[in-house]
């Protein structure tokens, strides 16, 4: 199938210009003015609209087995809802159980993901340490296109790892040219606070936020960065939600350390007051980690995005319906952690970012697609509008509006954390592998059409880091054999 996108303004991370875009066989084959439509080509009128690289969500959890249940959104429904919101790729997480083979878990997730409608890739979590893990990290990078590993510093007693595991895994990943990512919350502190709150009789969802105060994230982010710095390794902090973590990243970057930070739109627009909702079910629907914060943290996150101190936006899309959340009726620590939003990420960011003058349209493209593609070594196949790139595009209507609601969304979850918000800036058409998968409100995704995308190790930044580390490697002192006589 070929598509000519005619009359739009191409917006990339670098520039904006009037141009047509012609896609054939899943690739962009021409970008230029006045392109002719070959016979049989579908023509998409993009007059008054922006033609941008499709959104890439680097942090989702489709059908994740977690906290005694399984996330309600599967790879097909989740990538389809994503397409309705202008996304054309996700990077999800393989999360092996402690002691489970990483390769075995990887194949398990690959099986589940076969139903995905758009392209996808995987980070693999390191949830334990041993020679087998070290070996399998190598196999995953060499044979399975994995170039990033995930570490949970929270969820004590389940998938949390300690500093020793972080050191071993970061060092191994550095050797392989793979990027380490971390969920930064001090799991011991969370565990301590949870216990103390329950002893005080606080069992409702408000206990979730109280047990995970901003310092818990600030400390862990700072620690992960320091550990990476000791090894001369880059590090990527997922779902940064606090001023403290944002500042830790900014300080490290100012000192020349390659540290990246990811923000979720929900942390930019929703605050901690949701946990005090008198309705238990509503309050529980917002239980995710890190939790929503006092408002002043939102300004720090926006400033981080505008200044380039924070580079990517994700959703941490991890859906649980009301009956699943109900597992924590009498104990907030048992409420499955997670919220959805893959369908709304781009609109929430456009409306609240570009619409308020916090971001330019080019910065919007950078934080929704291009930076992610560069950091995770998908660029310029993804994240670019240029000849030779995959035809993964969104035709964005900057003036289109919609009101977000669980009644109309395509996500497989019974609640929408943005319920009732009216946003300006919507995906008019989404093109995945050169096919229209979302067009004027018509969702045409195909089960299983998504492809697994290999991500090779050693992106350019790693080559620079390797060179730097080589020039600064530890050297011993070459001493003369001592002739002194020991008394
Ligand atoms: O609450 C969340 N974020 N659930 C998904 C797992 C994680 O921590 O990313
Ligand atoms: Zn294999
Ligand atoms: Zn997390
Ligand atoms: Zn997550």
């Amino acid at each position: 199938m070929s598509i000519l996108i005619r009359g739009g303004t191409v917006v990339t991370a670098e520039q904006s210009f009037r141009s047509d875009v012609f896609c054939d066989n899943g690739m962009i084959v021409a970008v230029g003015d006045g392109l002719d439509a070959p016979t049989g080509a579908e023509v998409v009128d993009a007059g008054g609209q922006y033609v941008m690289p499709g959104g890439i969500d680097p942090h989702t959890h489709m059908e994740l087995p977690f906290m005694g249940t399984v996330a309600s959104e599967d790879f097909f429904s989740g990538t389809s809802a994503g397409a309705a919101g202008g996304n054309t790729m996700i990077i999800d997480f393989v999360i092996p159980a402690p002691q489970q083979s990483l390769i075995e878990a990887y194949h398990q997730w690959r099986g589940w993901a076969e139903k995905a409608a758009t392209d996808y890739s995987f980070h693999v979590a390191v949830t334990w340490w041993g020679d087998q893990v070290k070996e399998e990290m190598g196999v995953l990078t060499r044979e399975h296109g994995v170039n990033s590993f995930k570490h949970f510093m929270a969820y004590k007693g389940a998938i949390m790892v300690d500093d020793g595991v972080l050191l071993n895994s970061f060092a191994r990943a550095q050797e392989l040219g793979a990027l380490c990512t971390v969920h930064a919350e001090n799991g011991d502190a969370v565990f301590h606070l949870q216990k103390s709150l329950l002893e005080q009789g606080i069992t409702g969802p408000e206990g979730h936020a109280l047990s995970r105060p901003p310092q818990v994230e600030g400390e862990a982010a700072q620690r992960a960065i320091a550990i990476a710095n000791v090894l001369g390794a880059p590090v990527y902090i997922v779902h940064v939600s606090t001023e403290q973590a944002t500042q830790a990243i900014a300080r490290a970057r100012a000192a020349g350390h390659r540290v990246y930070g990811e923000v979720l739109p929900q942390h930019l627009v929703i605050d901690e007051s949701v946990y005090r909702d008198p309705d238990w079910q509503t309050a529980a629907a917002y239980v995710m980690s890190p939790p929503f914060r006092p408002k002043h943290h939102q300004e720090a996150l926006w400033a981080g995005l505008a200044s380039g101190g924070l580079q990517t936006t994700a959703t941490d899309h991890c859906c649980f319906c009301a009956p699943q959340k109900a597992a924590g009726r009498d104990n907030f620590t048992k409420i499955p952690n997670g919220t959805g939003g893959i369908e709304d990420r781009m609109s929430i960011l456009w409306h609240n970012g570009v619409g308020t003058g916090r971001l330019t349209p080019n910065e919007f493209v950078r934080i929704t697609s291009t930076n992610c593609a560069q950091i995770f070594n998908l660029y310029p196949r993804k994240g670019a509008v240029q000849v030779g790139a995959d035809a993964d595009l969104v035709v964005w209507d900057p003036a289109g509006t919609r009101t977000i609601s669980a009644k109309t969304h395509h996500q497989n979850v019974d609640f929408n954390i943005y319920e009732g918000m009216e946003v300006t800036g919507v995906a008019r058409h989404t093109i995945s592998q050169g096919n229209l998968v979302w067009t004027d409100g018509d969702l045409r995704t195909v089960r299983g059409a998504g492809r697994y995308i290999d991500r090779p190790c050693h992106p350019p930044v790693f080559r620079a880091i390797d060179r730097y580390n080589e020039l600064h490697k530890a050297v011993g002192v070459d001493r003369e054999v001592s002739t002194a006589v020991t008394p």
Side-chain angles (χ1 to χ4, degrees), residues 31-54:
V31 179
D33 237 351
L35 297 180
D36 284 326
T39 328
E42 184 152 1
V43 178
V44 171
D45 174 15
Q49 325 232 340
Y50 294 143
V51 182
M52 312 190 295

Side-chain angles (χ1 to χ4, degrees), residues 82-147:
N87 299 282
T88 51
M89 181 167 176
I90 59 167
I91 313 181
D92 204 273
F93 293 83
V94 171
I95 307 184
Q99 307 308 318
Q100 186 185 10
S101 151
L102 274 58
I103 307 287
E104 178 190 278
Y106 169 87
H107 285 297
Q108 216 170 5
W109 259 264
R110 284 290 304 266
W112 295 334
E114 273 174 14
K115 55 177 102 58
T118 62
D119 288 352
Y120 57 94
S121 195
F122 285 116
H123 312 281
V124 176
V126 171
T127 53
W128 59 290
W129 192 254
D131 289 344
Q132 184 187 340
V133 175
K134 186 174 178 180
E135 170 60 26
E136 291 186 342
M137 287 172 77
V139 175
L140 288 166
T141 58
R142 286 189 301 273
E143 299 171 22
H144 295 292
V146 172
N147 74 7

